[in-house]
Amino acid sequence: MTTTDAADFLDALTRRLGPDRVLTGAAPMAAYESDALTAFRARPRAVVLVDSAEEVVDVVRLCAGANVPFLARGSGTSLSGGSLPVHDGVVIAMNRLNRILEVDPVRRTAVVEPGVVNLAVSDAAEPYGLYYSPDPSSQSVCTIGGNLAFNSGGAHCLKYGMTSNHVLGLEVVLPDGEVIEIGGDSLEGVGPDLVGLFVGSEGLFGIATKITLRLLPKPETYFTLLAAYDSLAAAGEAVAAVVASGLLPGAMEIMDNLAIEAAEAAVGAGYPLDAEGLLIVELEGEEQQVAAESELLLEVVRKSKPYLEHIASDPDDRMRIWKGRKSAFSAVGRLSPDYIVQDGVVPRSRLGEALTKIQHLGEEHGIRVANVFHAGDGNLHPLILFDGRVEGELERAEELAGEILRLCIDLGGSITGEHGVGMEKRQYLGEMFGEADLDAMRRIRMAIDPGELANRGKMFPDAEAPALLSHAPHPLEAAGVISRE
Amino acid sequence: MKGAPSRPGSAAEVAEAVRGAELVLPRGGGTKPALWSVEGADVLDLSTLSGITEYLPSEYTVTALAGTPLAEVEARLAAEGQYLPFDPLLVAAGSTVGGAVAAGANGPGRLRYGGLRDFLLAVTFIDGRGEIVRGGARVVKNAAGFDLPKLMVGSLGRLGVLTECTFKVFPHPESCATLRVAGMALDEAIEAAGRVGAGAVEIECLDLVHGLAGWDLEIRIGGRSFALDARLKRAADLLDTDVATLSGDADVTHWRTRREFGWASPDTSVLKLPLTPATAGALEQVLADLDASQVARVYSAGIQQAFVAWPAERVADLPALDHALTQSKLTALALRAPAGAGNQPVLGYRTGGELLRRVEQALDPAGRFGRRA
């Protein structure tokens, strides 16, 4: 693009949105140069603050006309660098598109704009006894649009699934500015599941501007059990026993000693500091059913011989237990100046093997690793602790992170359970999938977006990468507003 | 249909067959003829591409070749106390893994935890260029790459020929029983369904069945045996009317018959329509306008889908139904239709055309699997 063309393009954006909503220059755009994967930074050409779906369409059409790459950004909490700007591209900031357009208690759906914060959906549904199920740890700030792009998960995915399982219908702006409608407001559909394809496509297929979400009736009651073990393996065996018993808990989480220490220091959840493995199991649902299930659960867990058990006594106690778990990632910041949150999946029965190997890998690299994981679905979150000021530590930490991902692939799992591939894991996608598989994905991408304008450079291994800069907590994370999961 | 169907025994042979064809559609158990009996298309008979390739009860995953009968999968799971929560259709009739995924249709039990889209973890398929493509992963949680498994749900054989599928499975409820209220008006039944459904009671199935005396509301509850009676009573109290209870074998047989379309006479075409409690009235109006208010039908899975048995003697009225559904923004898929009843399994309103066109272009550039109208 020539200088004149570039100036014309910015003029066109400004004419459409007004000067106040087109940010250019280093200072106004600084906050948009990175997301929660702070290792990467890139400077966009402009950041535009859109107020309506029509503005999104117009901005996308202007970008398509001028061949300028673009991406939508919500709160920038992506841990895989998914909302990292494309160098010289346009960042479309979606936060003002934050209206909840409708909550329908009969259909049990909510129609929302993409900039709505995850937790706000449950808040709006609350008066009807409903809630929105996916609960990423950053749910108090992350947006539905971002959740959708990366198929976000959370601690409660085993029973009711991830974001994808809760999106029914979409209005989408394709990368050339064409607007389409897919799905609907029924749980059922006819024809290829295009909503399913769009969710988790990491912004590569365009931008969702209106989203119909499925709401669930709030569980009548919870039974939350904390069990402490003197080895991680024992906690892992307890999970296997729960699965074998035929119970289907809403969540099963494990934390190791280092993670317990960090969480305790941060929020004082009442976790036993001397535990090597801490298991949280939660049953949810109808009172009589949960009462019957909890008896079986206690029987099964007691057979696994925890040295301490604690049943949440009331909703506050339950919240305290979860607060410790959900703060574990940011709390690790207390133990180490820098850290990387990894996200991989292994078959549940190979969790013990994976953890032992991760421990060995950490020792080999001279790097501490804390472990927090969604044990119920085999989703590991190793926290790799390092000091970026020490020469070579960042590189060693990155190397270790990569070896952990390869381990997940070797054990028959996945390189990401809920954070997405984004910028961070592109080089591993080609290790998880074969060439023909990647080629099919590439062909779909190119058919939908031949100019590769939408979130260019993400997901695919061969895409061009921006320079690696520094590691530091995201400003929101440092302020304790968001946490990593 | 041209000649005898070819019967590949491996993904590589399927790929070869696709590469050699001009127009080809896969067939599994043959239970849904409208999806494969297309004029001029070669039929790939996948019934020999059969067998469970991996079942890991402790992982909640099962992998099977596309031609594997669902009955075989269900029997294997049942031996470990597990099941396919999407509740596949036409299982006894011989429906296969690949056919179920390609049709994207679920039974009444999909209400509790979700449909095929929510339980399909990984696929292998042959695309229109004859390439073997894998998508997803054989673990219960995965967010790597595009979600090709979901794309294949409901793809009707038009985006690729499935050769292997991995599903998430769940532990089966210890026991189930069904409450039934007979002869309600539709509004009354929908209101009662909402009252029970919106409450705390967790429901496996909720169907409204049209009969001569009005609508029967059927609510299935499952879980720990110890708590079942108390929960049934609670749901019955919410219904606040005369309730019959089905339990044990009677309950099991009842729902088995439902998903085999035992309620529809064998010569009818069974259509599936996505629905909500709010759009059931629109479908009723369409049927009334076509003088078809007496056709057998079930509003299933919490009124999220309708199954309508369209009479054989009214096949000539299908274009009128197509038109009326389009006007009402309703869509139908012919699940069980007699072979040769028409080349178009999808009727009514469609969305996403432009996105679908691009996806088809990517996966099947030569149009070997045909093009939708």
Side-chain angles (χ1 to χ4, degrees):
Chain A
M1 189 182 263
T2 67
T3 317
T4 322
D5 289 344
D8 287 350
F9 173 69
L10 282 179
D11 280 350
L13 284 178
T14 308
R15 272 199 305 279
R16 178 64 181 88
L17 301 173
D20 295 347
R21 293 196 284 126
V22 179
L23 313 181
T24 55
M29 297 197 300
Y32 297 91
E33 287 183 1
S34 188
D35 58 19
L37 181 74
T38 50
F40 297 96
R41 230 161 246 286
R43 179 154 309 163
R45 177 189 301 258
V47 176
V48 299
L49 314 178
V50 289
D51 267 338
S52 66
E54 293 71 33
E55 289 183 356
V56 177
V57 174
D58 289 347
V59 170
V60 168
R61 285 181 183 161
L62 284 171
C63 288
N67 203 27
V68 171
F70 62 87
L71 75 142
R73 177 188 163 111
S75 299
T77 57
S78 172
L79 283 162
S80 60
S83 50
L84 184 79
V86 183
H87 176 70
D88 241 8
V90 170
V91 173
I92 306 175
M94 305 293 283
N95 308 70
R96 294 176 176 213
L97 271 171
N98 62 355
R99 283 155 286 219
I100 294 176
L101 302 171
E102 181 188 288
V103 175
D104 187 326
V106 176
R107 295 182 199 197
R108 284 189 226 150
T109 54
V111 181
V112 306
E113 294 183 332
V116 168
V117 166
N118 174 295
L119 205 52
V121 180
S122 287
D123 288 346
E126 216 275 329
Y128 308 102
L130 302 170
Y131 79 114
Y132 177 63
S133 168
D135 63 339
S137 281
S138 55
Q139 69 185 139
S140 61
V141 282
C142 65
T143 64
I144 293 295
N147 290 177
L148 189 115
F150 285 83
N151 193 14
S152 304
H156 289 81
C157 294
L158 178 62
K159 199 168 179 179
Y160 294 116
M162 325 221 314
T163 299
S164 194
N165 308 105
H166 300 272
V167 178
L168 304 179
L170 295 173
E171 180 186 275
V172 167
V173 185
L174 293 174
D176 55 5
E178 172 143 0
V179 179
I180 59 158
E181 193 191 311
I182 48 178
D185 47 16
S186 170
L187 295 179
E188 283 288 326
V190 164
D193 192 340
L194 297 172
V195 171
L197 176 70
F198 192 86
V199 177
S201 60
E202 306 200 355
L204 270 63
F205 294 157
I207 302 175
T209 48
K210 196 158 92 177
I211 304 162
T212 303
L213 299 172
R214 165 195 187 200
L215 303 173
L216 298 181
K218 280 177 72 174
E220 187 175 29
T221 191
Y222 294 96
F223 178 86
T224 312
L225 173 69
L226 197 69
Y229 296 85
D230 49 21
S231 78
L232 254 189
E237 281 157 24
V239 169
V242 171
V243 168
S245 74
L247 286 168
L248 186 59
M252 280 194 279
E253 302 283 305
I254 294 181
M255 298 165 74
D256 73 1
N257 184 266
L258 205 50
I260 296 166
E261 189 191 320
E264 260 320 277
V267 299
Y271 294 165
L273 280 169
D274 51 351
E276 288 300 323
L278 189 66
L279 171 67
I280 304 170
V281 187
E282 183 165 273
L283 301 169
E284 58 181 33
E286 208 180 329
E287 251 163 38
Q288 291 138 326
Q289 170 83 345
V290 169
E293 288 178 346
S294 62
E295 280 180 31
L296 176 60
L297 177 66
L298 279 174
E299 189 185 313
V300 170
V301 168
R302 280 173 186 157
K303 274 189 198 150
S304 71
K305 301 216 173 18
Y307 74 84
L308 185 147
E309 68 175 48
H310 170 75
I311 299 165
S313 52
D314 55 37
D316 287 345
D317 194 20
R318 170 178 180 258
M319 287 316 291
R320 201 158 39 242
I321 290 172
W322 278 112
K323 196 174 175 198
R325 164 61 189 84
K326 293 200 173 188
S327 69
F329 294 157
S330 48
V332 163
R334 290 168 179 260
L335 304 181
S336 171
D338 300 288
Y339 60 102
I340 298 171
V341 181
Q342 255 312 344
D343 165 45
V345 182
V346 297
R348 188 166 36 208
S349 59
R350 304 190 77 174
L351 273 173
E353 190 182 344
L355 291 168
T356 308
K357 286 187 172 159
I358 289 171
Q359 212 162 15
H360 289 324
L361 287 171
E363 283 161 12
E364 271 171 34
H365 288 77
I367 287 177
R368 287 193 299 169
V369 182
N371 278 291
V372 176
F373 47 97
H374 308 307
D377 42 26
N379 190 186
L380 300 163
H381 288 308
L383 301 147
I384 300 166
L385 312 185
F386 68 98
D387 185 346
R389 290 164 303 187
V390 177
E391 168 117 14
E393 277 223 351
L394 165 62
E395 289 70 20
R396 290 218 306 281
E398 294 276 352
E399 201 180 307
L400 173 58
E403 284 176 29
I404 291 174
L405 293 181
R406 291 204 173 97
L407 173 66
C408 292
I409 297 171
D410 288 346
L411 292 175
S414 170
I415 57 172
T416 171
E418 53 190 4
H419 296 173
V421 176
M423 182 59 63
E424 187 202 16
K425 296 179 177 179
R426 298 176 316 162
Q427 66 193 101
Y428 305 103
L429 194 70
E431 297 187 28
M432 181 169 160
F433 290 105
E435 196 40 52
D437 315 333
L438 280 185
D439 183 54
M441 291 187 206
R442 259 192 222 103
R443 277 186 278 129
I444 295 173
R445 153 71 155 177
M446 295 306 284
I448 293 171
D449 182 12
E452 293 184 87
L453 297 180
N455 213 6
R456 175 186 289 174
K458 309 296 163 59
M459 191 190 286
F460 288 107
D462 44 8
E464 66 187 82
L468 197 63
L469 292 173
S470 68
H471 270 275
H474 189 275
L476 280 172
E477 189 175 5
V481 178
I482 61 168
S483 50
R484 309 184 192 191
E485 179 157 11
Chain B
M1 233 178 299
K2 300 199 300 190
S6 62
R7 308 184 81 189
S10 67
E13 284 177 31
V14 176
E16 199 186 312
V18 168
R19 282 194 295 267
E22 272 176 41
L23 183 61
V24 64
L25 283 170
R27 176 197 136 122
T31 57
K32 298 175 277 285
L35 306 192
W36 52 263
S37 59
V38 170
E39 187 69 36
D42 290 340
V43 173
L44 262 179
D45 181 348
L46 295 190
S47 59
T48 46
L49 195 65
S50 176
I52 294 167
T53 42
E54 184 180 70
Y55 174 35
L56 303 170
S58 65
E59 299 298 335
Y60 289 171
T61 58
V62 65
T63 302
L65 295 172
T68 313
L70 285 159
E72 185 182 330
V73 178
E74 285 200 331
R76 190 72 181 277
L77 297 178
E80 300 289 337
Q82 297 185 333
Y83 76 126
L84 298 168
F86 55 86
D87 195 9
L89 298 168
L90 297 167
V91 175
S95 178
T96 60
V97 163
V101 171
N106 306 294
R110 70 95 62 225
L111 177 64
R112 180 70 184 94
Y113 294 113
L116 263 159
R117 72 183 305 273
D118 305 300
F119 284 87
L120 184 64
L121 300 173
V123 288
T124 305
F125 65 90
I126 312 303
D127 71 8
R129 307 199 315 179
E131 296 287 336
I132 301 176
V133 177
R134 293 179 311 134
R138 291 184 184 185
V139 281
V140 295
K141 199 174 189 183
N142 168 44
F146 297 142
D147 199 337
L148 300 183
K150 285 201 178 60
L151 177 64
M152 299 312 286
V153 174
S155 59
L156 308 176
R158 307 298 178 100
L159 296 176
V161 180
L162 289 158
T163 56
E164 194 171 43
C165 300
T166 301
F167 299 104
K168 175 162 91 167
V169 303
F170 271 167
H172 195 278
E174 199 177 23
S175 49
C176 294
T178 299
L179 301 175
R180 190 182 198 176
V181 182
M184 302 175 97
L186 182 60
D187 291 355
E188 187 192 2
I190 291 176
E191 193 274 326
R195 198 153 15 101
V196 181
V201 183
E202 291 169 339
I203 296 168
E204 302 296 317
C205 310
L206 189 157
D207 278 12
L208 304 182
V209 186
H210 181 258
L212 293 177
W215 294 80
D216 294 349
L217 169 62
E218 301 176 348
I219 298 176
R220 190 182 206 202
I221 292 174
R224 300 281 296 158
S225 305
F226 176 73
L228 193 61
D229 283 348
R231 294 174 59 218
L232 286 167
K233 180 175 182 318
R234 190 175 180 189
D237 288 348
L238 281 168
L239 288 168
D240 195 24
T241 180
D242 285 345
V243 173
T245 307
L246 284 175
S247 52
D249 288 347
D251 167 80
V252 172
T253 308
H254 180 76
W255 292 101
R256 288 257 162 91
T257 310
R258 172 70 36 82
R259 67 180 190 172
E260 296 299 328
F261 300 150
W263 49 272
S265 91
D267 60 347
T268 54
S269 297
V270 179
L271 310 173
K272 166 207 151 165
L273 299 94
L275 213 63
T276 74
T279 54
L283 177 54
E284 286 297 302
Q285 192 59 52
V286 164
L287 295 175
D289 290 348
L290 292 171
D291 196 18
S293 290
Q294 290 312 313
V295 300
R297 60 196 179 275
V298 178
Y299 291 170
S300 185
I303 323 176
Q304 294 291 320
Q305 59 182 350
F307 293 117
V308 173
W310 193 256
E313 66 273 17
R314 295 202 55 184
V315 163
D317 293 333
L318 283 172
L321 178 63
D322 182 26
H323 179 74
L325 291 173
T326 307
Q327 295 296 308
S328 302
K329 287 199 159 189
L330 294 167
T331 312
L333 172 68
L335 281 176
R336 192 185 72 188
N343 279 350
Q344 183 45 268
V346 181
L347 305 175
Y349 184 70
R350 325 225 181 147
T351 59
E354 179 54 26
L355 181 58
L356 183 55
R357 190 191 63 73
R358 296 184 198 186
V359 172
E360 283 179 337
Q361 186 60 37
L363 291 179
D364 182 24
R368 286 197 171 103
F369 305 130
R371 288 272 183 258
R372 261 161 281 251

